Amino acid sequence: MTTVPAEEAGAPAKAMKHNAIDGAKPLLSIIMPVFRGEKLIGDALESVASQVSPGQCDKIEILIVDSSPDDATMSVVHRFADRLSLRPYQRPDFTMWHAKTNFAAREARADHLCWLHHDDLWLPGRMKAVESWIAAAPETPFHFAPSLLVGADGAVLGEWNCPIDQEGPQQREALLRGLLVQNYIAAPAPVFRKDAWLRCGGLDETLWYTADWDVWLKLAAQGEARFHKDAATAFRVHGSSLTVTGSRDIADFVNQMQVVLERHIALLPEDSRRDIEPVCAASILVNEALARASRGDASALLRATAVTMRLGPRGVATYLRNSRIGERVGARVRAKMRGGM
């Protein structure tokens, strides 16, 4: 068993035996933080392995950082050892996915990184798409795309689209304005440069719910971001996701969103900030009301609706476009009807 340096205040890091770490630098490093992932991680890894030919397995590496109390997850991982270049780590000292992700990003060998949580999936064509993104714009710090929404059983529930009209480079201010209203980027969809990730500090480990939203905004501020219109990943909606479990602590749930808004809205020019800030505030109110409603308390929905309507026709249109509320709520309703939540 190979050891890697321990983190501060953590138990010694353990890396299980892995493939081809001494070979050529891979094109892409896939980061997979895991806790008790034995039921779904096989599907996630298969979705990658099915797109990698035997002679190309070293094009990617998968860093699996597992904090499970047993070997059930790793026993599934080992089944893919002859089909994928795997770098699995057992890190019981990492209790949050953020710490696992930051650790894996530092350890990654490729210039370009992406996430694939153990319950999400690559769709056919993802590998070819990523190769084309990197070949066309290797210095771009942040590529992003829409994603499909799937249920616990893998059935498609809808699409998680991005409110972007044209593919290619995005104007920074417009991108920040839209993304501040709501995080519309699913975790498995983006590809980002490792050096940009390190410059912006990676995930803020104090943000248990909004760390991904925060880091997308940080990466978007690093330079030109590029949008790609085709969905090639799937984000799984189920009852144990952070969106469901985290929103049970409503006050902290709201604070997580307010921290991100206050942190990044200052990047906008003053007139743009005055214009979009009421829409962002209304979005947080709606998210809070929906979280309360999911717990059986619908009393906040009326107030949130009233505040949103006071934005006026233009503000309401901006909110509806950027919040993707219909897609988000619709997918969760369909998941509930299928018994997945």
Side-chain angles (χ1 to χ4, degrees), residues 96-98 117 119-120 149-150 160 182-188 207-213 235-250 252-254 256-257 286-295 323-325 327-333 335-336 340-341:
M96 297 291 287
W97 70 273
H98 317 68
H117 290 186
D119 49 353
D120 296 333
L149 294 163
V150 300
W160 189 346
Q182 178 71 39
N183 179 19
Y184 53 70
I185 302 175
L207 298 176
W208 54 263
Y209 176 62
T210 55
D212 56 342
W213 185 19
F235 178 87
R236 200 181 300 262
V237 178
H238 54 84
S240 59
S241 67
L242 273 178
T243 305
V244 177
T245 59
S247 59
R248 291 173 187 162
D249 185 343
I250 299 295
D252 200 15
F253 175 71
V254 171
Q256 292 277 304
M257 292 181 282
V286 172
N287 289 338
E288 177 186 1
L290 291 172
R292 291 186 183 279
S294 72
R295 302 173 62 186
S323 70
R324 321 311 291 173
I325 187 169
E327 296 171 9
R328 293 186 291 125
V329 173
R332 282 167 173 77
V333 169
K336 202 163 204 176
M341 294 187 75

Side-chain angles (χ1 to χ4, degrees), residues 151-203:
D153 58 358
V156 176
L157 302 173
E159 295 186 10
W160 189 346
N161 290 301
C162 303
I164 308 291
D165 294 324
Q166 289 189 315
E167 284 194 287
Q170 299 301 302
Q171 198 274 333
R172 181 178 175 226
E173 182 180 336
L175 178 59
L176 291 176
R177 279 174 58 94
L179 196 51
L180 279 167
V181 174
Q182 178 71 39
N183 179 19
Y184 53 70
I185 302 175
V191 170
F192 40 91
R193 285 191 59 90
K194 176 177 177 175
D195 53 6
W197 174 276
L198 295 176
R199 280 197 306 272
C200 77
L203 291 171

